Amino acid sequence: MDVYGLIGNPVGHSLSPPMHEAAYETLGIDARYVTFEPDTDAPAAAIDGATALGVAGLNVTIPFKQAVLDAVDADPVAERIGAVNTVDFAPVRAGEADRPRGYNTDAAGVKRAFSHHDVALGGAEAVVVGAGGAGRAAAFALADAGAAVHVANRTAERAVSLAADVPGATGGGLDDLGERIGEADVLVNATSVGMEDPDATPVPAERLHGDLAVLDAVYTPIETRLLREAADAGATAIDGAWMLLFQGVEAFEIWTGRKAPVEAMNAALRAELE
Ligand code: NAP
């Protein structure tokens, strides 16, 4: 039996176990997906321990996504983003490498959430609101897919600093956000606004329009005020569970080399969210 899992602190009530175990069950894979909560100062030791124990794959969440970079051979996307959320131990288990391989599947989650909804990113004008971990992944993903990216953030300096790392991107504060959204094809909310206060939204509703595709990274609640107002404006509204789903789908495919049973994983994830 292969063991997969999630390391974070706290990991709390994670949605990943049911999502991945639905995939194992659907494809008849003999595996379990479990959660681990190592000490916050010991992420590298956790990766070494998992290697020694023969763990097959790990997802990584807050606060370890940056620190784990130093304990793995990171692929170029994870290296550029500066964070790892998926570790594949297969190269070590096969005796082909000394260290596991690290990936950032949050970026793939963003791209695949849009492509699943038939939203073309190549040549699109994209606005990412937020410059934290999710904002970084979204900005790199959209630029990599050929979009022109503007990052807007409450703390403008963080957006400017992130944009400097992303090819062709610009960054700034929230003052001209409405105008930018008015001209955009794609919008990602990568702030936590809408999570604690379901009546809060990071974006002025009157600037949303029918030619826009909106991905809200927030997935609790599943339907945020931003998504309700986006749908009312005729925009394509994509909830955060799609991003979460496709980061998991991408991780599953990296680990197993098999095409993920997306529908089964989506059903398990949404059942858990509800
Ligand atoms: P983070 O690194 O802590 O960044 C938080 C971001 O939100 C920062 O840009 C921050 O701006 C902004 N922000 C917070 N409160 C704000 C407010 N009241 N007004 C305006 N901006 C505000 O967090 P993260 O890891 O990027 O996560 C952000 C959200 O994405 C969370 O809701 C998380 O659950 C979600 N997420 C979803 C997925 C998924 O798969 N769907 C994956 C990762 C994250 P400042 O820089 O000014 O503080």
Side-chain angles (χ1 to χ4, degrees):
M1 184 184 72
D2 280 330
V3 175
Y4 297 92
L6 170 70
I7 60 168
N9 195 327
V11 279
H13 183 66
S14 171
L15 298 160
S16 291
M19 178 168 66
H20 282 278
E21 295 206 337
Y24 308 148
E25 194 181 330
T26 303
L27 297 183
I29 294 173
D30 185 20
R32 290 293 311 277
Y33 187 104
V34 291
T35 57
F36 301 101
E37 211 169 275
D39 286 346
T40 49
D41 59 356
I47 296 297
D48 288 347
T51 305
L53 290 171
V55 168
L58 285 179
N59 285 133
V60 182
T61 189
I62 292 168
F64 300 134
K65 286 185 180 187
Q66 287 81 25
V68 159
L69 255 183
D70 296 331
V72 300
D73 290 332
D75 93 321
V77 176
E79 195 76 62
R80 283 206 303 275
I81 295 173
V84 164
N85 81 327
T86 298
V87 180
D88 181 21
F89 295 87
V92 182
R93 286 169 28 132
E96 293 163 6
D98 294 333
R99 303 201 311 168
R101 190 110 172 110
Y103 299 87
N104 189 308
T105 70
D106 284 334
V110 170
K111 276 199 245 182
R112 292 180 72 164
F114 280 113
S115 66
H116 183 80
H117 289 83
D118 297 323
V119 177
L121 297 175
E125 294 281 332
V127 175
V128 175
V129 193
R136 273 192 87 76
F140 276 97
L142 295 170
D144 193 49
V149 177
H150 178 77
V151 183
N153 195 48
R154 176 177 63 178
T155 310
E157 306 82 67
R158 284 187 87 190
V160 172
S161 161
L162 167 54
D165 293 341
V166 177
T170 54
L174 301 178
D175 291 349
D176 61 350
L177 181 59
E179 287 147 52
R180 293 201 177 259
I181 290 170
E183 288 160 18
D185 307 298
V186 166
L187 170 68
V188 177
N189 173 37
T191 74
S192 46
V193 177
M195 198 165 75
E196 278 142 36
D197 175 3
D199 290 328
T201 176
V203 163
E206 64 275 14
R207 295 300 189 147
L208 300 167
H209 55 86
D211 295 328
L212 196 61
V214 181
L215 167 64
D216 197 339
V218 172
Y219 53 83
T220 47
I222 192 78
E223 193 197 49
T224 57
R225 177 175 164 192
L226 169 61
L227 290 181
R228 270 196 312 278
E229 291 178 342
D232 288 347
T236 302
I238 305 170
D239 66 52
W242 290 108
M243 177 178 166
L244 187 63
L245 169 71
F246 282 110
Q247 65 75 30
V249 162
E250 184 83 4
F252 175 91
E253 292 179 347
I254 287 168
W255 290 331
T256 65
R258 296 175 67 170
K259 195 167 157 24
V262 174
E263 277 180 29
M265 293 174 77
N266 189 33
L269 175 61
R270 282 176 193 273
E272 199 66 16
L273 275 167
E274 277 156 24

Coordinates of all heavy atoms in Angstrom, one line a residue, residues 62 65 106 129-135 152-156 158 174 189-193 195 202 216-220 239-245 247, ligand 1:
I62 N 0.4 25.7 4.4 CA 0.9 26.7 5.4 C 1.3 26.0 6.7 O 0.6 25.2 7.2 CB -0.2 27.7 5.6 CG1 -0.4 28.5 4.3 CG2 0.1 28.7 6.7 CD1 -1.7 29.4 4.2
K65 N 5.2 25.8 2.8 CA 5.4 25.8 1.4 C 6.7 26.4 0.9 O 7.3 26.0 -0.1 CB 4.2 26.6 0.7 CG 2.9 25.9 0.7 CD 1.9 26.6 -0.1 CE 0.5 25.9 -0.1 NZ -0.4 26.6 -0.9
D106 N -0.5 24.6 -7.3 CA -1.5 25.7 -7.2 C -1.6 26.4 -8.5 O -2.7 26.8 -9.0 CB -1.1 26.7 -6.1 CG -1.4 26.1 -4.7 OD1 -2.3 25.2 -4.6 OD2 -0.8 26.5 -3.7
V129 N -6.0 40.0 -7.8 CA -6.1 40.8 -6.6 C -5.5 40.0 -5.5 O -6.0 38.9 -5.2 CB -7.6 41.2 -6.3 CG1 -7.6 42.3 -5.2 CG2 -8.3 41.7 -7.5
G130 N -4.5 40.5 -4.9 CA -3.8 39.7 -3.8 C -2.4 39.4 -4.2 O -2.2 39.0 -5.4
A131 N -1.5 39.5 -3.3 CA -0.1 39.2 -3.6 C 0.6 38.3 -2.5 O 1.8 38.3 -2.3 CB 0.7 40.6 -3.7
G132 N -0.3 37.5 -1.9 CA 0.3 36.5 -1.0 C 0.6 35.2 -1.7 O 0.9 35.2 -3.0
G133 N 0.5 34.1 -1.1 CA 0.8 32.8 -1.7 C -0.1 32.5 -2.9 O 0.4 32.1 -4.0
A134 N -1.4 32.6 -2.7 CA -2.3 32.3 -3.9 C -2.1 33.3 -5.0 O -2.2 32.9 -6.2 CB -3.7 32.3 -3.4
G135 N -1.8 34.6 -4.7 CA -1.6 35.6 -5.7 C -0.4 35.3 -6.5 O -0.3 35.5 -7.7
A152 N -2.9 43.6 -8.2 CA -3.4 44.7 -7.4 C -3.5 44.2 -5.9 O -4.0 43.1 -5.7 CB -4.8 45.2 -7.8
N153 N -2.9 44.9 -5.0 CA -2.9 44.5 -3.6 C -3.1 45.6 -2.7 O -2.7 46.8 -2.9 CB -1.6 43.8 -3.3 CG -1.6 42.9 -2.1 OD1 -2.6 42.2 -1.8 ND2 -0.7 43.1 -1.2
R154 N -3.8 45.3 -1.5 CA -3.9 46.4 -0.5 C -2.6 47.0 -0.1 O -2.5 48.2 -0.1 CB -4.6 45.7 0.8 CG -4.7 46.6 1.9 CD -5.4 45.9 3.1 NE -4.6 44.7 3.6 CZ -5.0 44.0 4.6 NH1 -6.1 44.2 5.2 NH2 -4.2 43.0 5.0
T155 N -1.6 46.2 0.1 CA -0.2 46.7 0.3 C 0.4 46.8 -1.1 O 0.9 45.7 -1.6 CB 0.5 45.8 1.3 OG1 -0.3 45.5 2.4 CG2 1.9 46.4 1.7
A156 N 0.4 48.0 -1.7 CA 0.8 48.1 -3.1 C 2.3 47.6 -3.3 O 2.6 46.9 -4.3 CB 0.7 49.5 -3.5
R158 N 3.8 45.1 -2.1 CA 3.9 43.6 -2.3 C 3.5 43.3 -3.7 O 4.1 42.4 -4.3 CB 2.9 42.9 -1.3 CG 3.4 42.8 0.1 CD 2.5 42.0 0.9 NE 2.8 40.6 0.9 CZ 2.1 39.6 1.3 NH1 0.9 39.8 1.9 NH2 2.5 38.3 1.3
L174 N -4.9 49.3 -4.8 CA -6.3 49.0 -5.2 C -7.0 50.2 -5.8 O -8.2 50.1 -6.2 CB -7.1 48.5 -4.0 CG -6.5 47.3 -3.3 CD1 -7.3 46.9 -2.0 CD2 -6.5 46.1 -4.2
N189 N -9.6 36.6 -7.6 CA -9.4 37.0 -6.2 C -8.5 36.1 -5.5 O -8.9 34.9 -5.2 CB -10.8 37.1 -5.5 CG -10.6 37.5 -4.0 OD1 -9.7 38.3 -3.7 ND2 -11.4 36.9 -3.2
A190 N -7.3 36.6 -5.2 CA -6.4 35.8 -4.4 C -6.2 36.4 -3.0 O -5.1 36.2 -2.4 CB -5.1 35.6 -5.1
T191 N -7.2 37.2 -2.6 CA -7.1 37.6 -1.2 C -8.0 36.7 -0.4 O -8.8 35.9 -0.9 CB -7.6 39.1 -1.0 OG1 -9.1 39.1 -1.2 CG2 -7.0 40.0 -2.1
S192 N -8.0 36.9 0.9 CA -8.9 36.1 1.8 C -10.2 36.9 2.0 O -11.1 36.4 2.8 CB -8.2 35.8 3.1 OG -7.6 37.0 3.6
V193 N -10.4 38.0 1.3 CA -11.7 38.8 1.5 C -12.9 38.0 1.0 O -12.8 37.4 -0.1 CB -11.6 40.1 0.7 CG1 -12.9 40.9 0.9 CG2 -10.4 41.0 1.3
M195 N -14.0 35.5 3.0 CA -13.9 34.2 3.7 C -14.4 34.4 5.1 O -15.4 33.7 5.5 CB -12.4 33.7 3.8 CG -12.2 32.3 4.1 SD -10.6 31.7 3.8 CE -9.7 32.4 5.1
P202 N -13.7 41.9 -2.6 CA -12.5 42.7 -2.8 C -12.7 43.7 -4.0 O -11.8 44.4 -4.3 CB -11.5 41.7 -3.1 CG -12.3 40.5 -3.7 CD -13.6 40.6 -3.0
D216 N -12.6 32.9 -8.0 CA -12.4 33.3 -6.6 C -11.6 32.2 -5.9 O -12.1 31.1 -5.8 CB -13.7 33.6 -5.9 CG -13.6 34.4 -4.6 OD1 -12.4 34.4 -4.0 OD2 -14.5 35.0 -4.1
A217 N -10.4 32.5 -5.4 CA -9.6 31.4 -4.7 C -10.3 31.0 -3.4 O -10.1 29.9 -2.9 CB -8.2 31.9 -4.4
V218 N -11.1 31.9 -2.8 CA -11.8 31.5 -1.6 C -12.8 30.4 -1.8 O -13.5 30.4 -2.8 CB -12.6 32.8 -1.0 CG1 -13.4 32.4 0.1 CG2 -11.6 33.9 -0.6
Y219 N -12.8 29.3 -1.0 CA -13.7 28.2 -1.2 C -14.6 28.0 0.0 O -15.4 27.0 0.0 CB -13.0 27.0 -1.7 CG -11.8 26.5 -0.8 CD1 -12.1 25.8 0.4 CD2 -10.5 26.9 -1.1 CE1 -11.0 25.4 1.2 CE2 -9.5 26.5 -0.3 CZ -9.7 25.8 0.8 OH -8.7 25.4 1.6
T220 N -14.4 28.8 1.1 CA -15.4 28.7 2.2 C -15.8 30.1 2.5 O -15.0 30.9 3.1 CB -14.8 28.0 3.5 OG1 -13.5 28.6 3.7 CG2 -14.7 26.5 3.3
D239 N -15.7 29.0 -8.9 CA -15.5 29.0 -7.4 C -14.1 28.4 -7.1 O -13.5 27.7 -7.9 CB -16.6 28.4 -6.7 CG -16.8 26.9 -6.9 OD1 -15.8 26.1 -6.8 OD2 -17.9 26.5 -7.2
G240 N -13.7 28.7 -5.8 CA -12.4 28.2 -5.4 C -12.2 26.7 -5.3 O -11.0 26.3 -5.3
A241 N -13.3 26.0 -5.2 CA -13.2 24.5 -5.2 C -12.6 24.0 -6.5 O -11.9 23.0 -6.5 CB -14.5 23.9 -4.9
W242 N -12.8 24.7 -7.6 CA -12.2 24.3 -8.9 C -10.7 24.3 -8.8 O -10.0 23.5 -9.3 CB -12.7 25.1 -10.0 CG -14.2 24.8 -10.3 CD1 -15.2 25.6 -10.1 CD2 -14.7 23.6 -10.9 NE1 -16.4 25.0 -10.4 CE2 -16.1 23.7 -10.9 CE3 -14.2 22.4 -11.3 CZ2 -17.0 22.7 -11.4 CZ3 -15.0 21.4 -11.8 CH2 -16.4 21.6 -11.9
M243 N -10.2 25.4 -8.2 CA -8.7 25.6 -8.1 C -8.1 24.5 -7.2 O -7.1 23.9 -7.5 CB -8.4 27.0 -7.6 CG -6.9 27.2 -7.3 SD -6.7 28.9 -6.8 CE -5.0 28.8 -6.2
L244 N -8.9 24.3 -6.1 CA -8.4 23.3 -5.1 C -8.5 21.9 -5.7 O -7.5 21.1 -5.6 CB -9.4 23.3 -3.9 CG -9.1 22.5 -2.7 CD1 -7.7 22.9 -2.1 CD2 -10.2 22.6 -1.6
L245 N -9.5 21.6 -6.5 CA -9.7 20.3 -7.2 C -8.5 20.1 -8.1 O -7.8 19.1 -8.1 CB -11.0 20.3 -8.0 CG -11.1 19.1 -8.9 CD1 -11.3 17.8 -8.2 CD2 -12.3 19.4 -9.9
Q247 N -5.5 21.5 -8.3 CA -4.2 21.4 -7.7 C -4.0 19.9 -7.3 O -3.0 19.3 -7.4 CB -3.8 22.4 -6.7 CG -4.7 22.4 -5.4 CD -4.3 21.2 -4.4 OE1 -3.2 20.8 -4.4 NE2 -5.3 20.8 -3.7
Ligands
NAP1 P1 -1.8 35.2 2.3 O1 -0.5 34.7 1.7 O2 -2.0 35.4 3.7 O3 -2.3 36.5 1.5 C1 -3.4 37.2 1.8 C2 -3.8 38.2 0.8 O4 -5.0 38.8 1.1 C3 -2.8 39.4 0.8 O5 -2.6 39.9 -0.6 C4 -3.5 40.4 1.6 O6 -3.1 41.8 1.3 C5 -4.9 40.2 1.2 N1 -5.9 40.7 2.2 C6 -6.2 40.2 3.4 N2 -7.2 40.9 4.0 C7 -7.5 41.9 3.1 C8 -8.4 42.9 3.2 N3 -9.3 43.1 4.2 N4 -8.5 43.8 2.1 C9 -7.7 43.6 1.0 N5 -6.8 42.6 0.9 C10 -6.7 41.8 1.9 O7 -3.0 34.1 1.9 P2 -3.0 33.1 0.7 O8 -2.4 31.8 1.1 O9 -2.5 33.8 -0.5 O10 -4.6 32.8 0.6 C11 -5.5 33.8 0.1 C12 -6.8 33.2 -0.1 O11 -6.8 32.2 -1.1 C13 -7.4 32.4 1.1 O12 -8.8 32.6 1.2 C14 -7.1 31.0 0.9 O13 -8.0 30.1 1.5 C15 -7.3 30.9 -0.7 N6 -6.5 29.9 -1.3 C16 -7.3 29.0 -2.1 C17 -6.6 28.0 -2.8 C18 -7.5 27.1 -3.6 O14 -7.0 26.0 -4.0 N7 -8.7 27.5 -3.9 C19 -5.2 27.8 -2.7 C20 -4.5 28.7 -1.9 C21 -5.2 29.8 -1.2 P3 -1.8 42.5 2.1 O15 -0.6 42.0 1.4 O16 -2.1 43.9 2.0 O17 -1.9 42.0 3.5

